[in-house]
Amino acid sequence: MEMKGTPALHGYRMPAEWEPHSQCWMGWPERSDNWRDNALHAQSVFAKVATAISKFVPMTVCASAAQWENARSQLPENIRVIEMSMNDSWFRDTGPTIVVSNNTSGSGISVPKVAGIDWTFNSWGGVDDGCYQDWSLDLHVARKILGIERLPRFSHSMILEGGSIHVDGEGTCLTTEECLLNKNRNPHLTKGQIEDELKAYLGVTKVVWLPRGLYGDDDTNGHIDNMCCFAKPGVVLLSWTDDETDPQYERSAEAFSVLSNATDATGRKFQIIKLHVPGPLYMTDEEASGVIQVGEAKPRLPGTRLAASYVNFYIANGGIIVPQFGDQKWDDEAARVLSQAFPNHEVVKIEGAREIVLAGGNIHCITQQQPAILPSVLQSTTD
């Protein structure tokens, strides 16, 4: 069902990721010009991620007709596998942003509602700057998911990817100027106009802008979900390095300064938890040679610094699904910091997540949560 007006007008808001999920959605990687060795290694890691999440929340994986049987054979039976065409498998950015409403009807009875926002997608920058030249199938992913779930759909002409926004569920949105103000997204909109759209569609009242995202995150032009996220209202996790010679240091210090001088929608000062980045890590000759360079996708070159970040984790119902990059010191440190930040969640480490970052993202980028609505009586007991 196509909805008129904006989500906020109908009482919808984007919930925080730690609020209850009814399920999680993922795509299935296959394109050989982005995933090395015909996505053989990436598929194994995607299966690990999906399996881990499925222990906490129902899981749906979408695969192309050519890959459905392969995906089905690699995934446990408790995971639903459905056929869907796509250009690539970054469902955080091509899937819908799902919003919820706890509005009450005229009778005073709670009427739980869930709907989805279908943003416009342009492959992270269009024909000149995007990651691949044809994204015509990706344009329909959000609408297909909403159709499968029979959820109302708000369509929006603004170009926006899910990885470029984080919310606290209490009125605050985090994003980066590097991405949302990039001329390859919405050059006809001012910063104020973009902020107004975020408020109208996400149901937020305040947008906190960090100047830049993670160093080397050129594929997405600095998505927030590699740089900074909420751990709970008033508390953020920030990608960090203590190495002042690392180009990441300037970006992290800059973000720390902005956050230290900002408040959220309720007027709270931010508590900032530093989450050290791994590495630096670089693409090897062997890894680059496994990608078939055909000219349709952005080339993967040996020696490229990988945009690896532990902030790119997924919050499930009671679980934290965190990437591990083979950097033992920082892998262990990330798990420790996240265990402290989420004391009521089980931290699940995904070994081999380097395979995902080789293609430009990580666990948060390949997942899309479908929020659940709790009846108002239950809601009050969980607050």
Side-chain angles (χ1 to χ4, degrees), residues 24 44 98 152-153 161 196-197 201 234 269-271 305 307 312-313 321-322 330 345 362 378:
C24 176
S44 175
I98 299 180
R153 169 177 168 260
E161 306 96 35
D196 287 344
E197 294 304 310
Y201 276 74
K269 295 284 287 181
F270 289 110
Q271 176 190 344
R305 180 164 173 175
N312 207 296
F313 63 89
I321 317 301
V322 62
W330 297 119
H345 288 66
N362 222 284
L378 291 177

Side-chain angles (χ1 to χ4, degrees), residues 123-134:
S123 187
W124 308 275
V127 173
D128 294 330
D129 295 331
C131 290
Y132 39 83
Q133 297 295 304
D134 178 11

Side-chain angles (χ1 to χ4, degrees), residues 348-361:
V348 180
K349 302 176 179 182
I350 302 296
E351 304 293 342
R354 179 184 174 101
E355 284 301 330
I356 315 175
V357 82
L358 287 173

Side-chain angles (χ1 to χ4, degrees), residues 362-374:
N362 222 284
I363 290 173
H364 195 258
C365 305
I366 65 173
T367 52
Q368 182 62 263
Q369 71 268 15
Q370 182 172 332
I373 282 287
L374 289 177

Side-chain angles (χ1 to χ4, degrees), residues 14-300:
M14 182 183 177
E17 197 168 309
W18 55 78
E19 294 185 53
H21 301 175
S22 63
Q23 69 174 312
C24 176
W25 292 80
M26 286 175 61
W28 186 253
E30 65 175 294
R31 59 182 304 153
S32 57
D33 58 357
N34 194 43
W35 304 95
R36 71 184 184 116
D37 299 338
N38 292 309
L40 182 71
H41 315 289
Q43 288 171 0
S44 175
V45 179
F46 270 58
K48 278 189 199 174
V49 172
T51 301
I53 294 173
S54 74
K55 292 178 169 58
F56 300 95
V57 63
M59 188 75 227
T60 299
V61 174
C62 302
S64 71
Q67 284 286 325
W68 185 92
E69 191 173 356
N70 178 31
R72 180 66 281 171
S73 70
Q74 292 197 50
L75 294 162
E77 279 303 315
N78 68 314
I79 293 177
R80 178 173 67 162
V81 181
I82 61 177
E83 189 178 310
M84 186 181 293
S85 54
M86 65 196 82
N87 297 107
D88 208 349
S89 47
W90 305 102
F91 271 28
R92 176 66 50 182
D93 295 340
T94 59
T97 298
I98 299 180
V99 290
V100 301
S101 170
N102 288 102
N103 274 1
T104 55
S105 67
S107 62
I109 301 170
S110 180
V111 185
K113 292 189 292 184
V114 184
I117 305 168
D118 182 1
W119 309 98
T120 300
F121 178 72
N122 76 342
S123 187
W124 308 275
V127 173
D128 294 330
D129 295 331
C131 290
Y132 39 83
Q133 297 295 304
D134 178 11
W135 56 88
S136 56
L137 300 175
D138 286 341
L139 281 171
H140 302 302
V141 168
R143 188 172 187 175
K144 288 175 181 177
I145 289 173
L146 296 173
I148 289 165
E149 294 299 301
R150 300 184 186 277
L151 294 178
R153 169 177 168 260
F154 291 93
S155 62
H156 200 316
S157 60
M158 187 168 84
I159 292 164
L160 187 120
E161 306 96 35
S164 69
I165 51 173
H166 262 306
V167 299
D168 65 355
E170 295 188 0
T172 317
C173 175
L174 273 174
T175 190
T176 68
E177 295 176 349
E178 183 181 6
C179 180
L180 261 61
L181 302 188
N182 196 301
K183 66 183 188 307
N184 64 21
R185 298 298 202 282
N186 300 286
H188 58 292
L189 297 177
T190 65
K191 181 178 181 179
Q193 288 171 326
I194 290 172
E195 194 165 304
D196 287 344
E197 294 304 310
L198 294 176
K199 291 175 179 177
Y201 276 74
L202 304 178
V204 297
T205 55
K206 182 163 188 179
V207 180
V208 177
W209 296 83
L210 298 189
R212 295 180 288 176
L214 197 75
Y215 177 75
D217 191 4
D218 302 327
D219 286 356
T220 73
N221 306 118
H223 270 187
I224 193 72
D225 70 353
N226 248 352
M227 184 67 175
C228 185
C229 69
F230 289 104
K232 61 183 179 181
V235 181
V236 295
L237 290 152
L238 176 64
S239 287
W240 187 261
T241 178
D242 293 316
D243 181 1
E244 295 185 16
T245 67
D246 188 327
Q248 179 57 40
Y249 181 83
E250 182 182 317
R251 290 170 175 251
S252 294
E254 179 182 65
F256 189 92
S257 176
V258 170
L259 290 165
S260 297
N261 291 293
T263 55
D264 69 9
T266 67
R268 279 179 294 232
K269 295 284 287 181
F270 289 110
Q271 176 190 344
I272 305 165
I273 301 171
K274 295 173 179 176
L275 194 54
H276 204 289
V277 296
L281 307 175
Y282 300 90
M283 183 173 289
T284 66
D285 290 343
E286 180 189 359
E287 288 166 341
S289 68
V291 179
I292 299 173
Q293 311 280 359
V294 293
E296 210 274 308
K298 183 178 284 190
R300 299 294 175 194

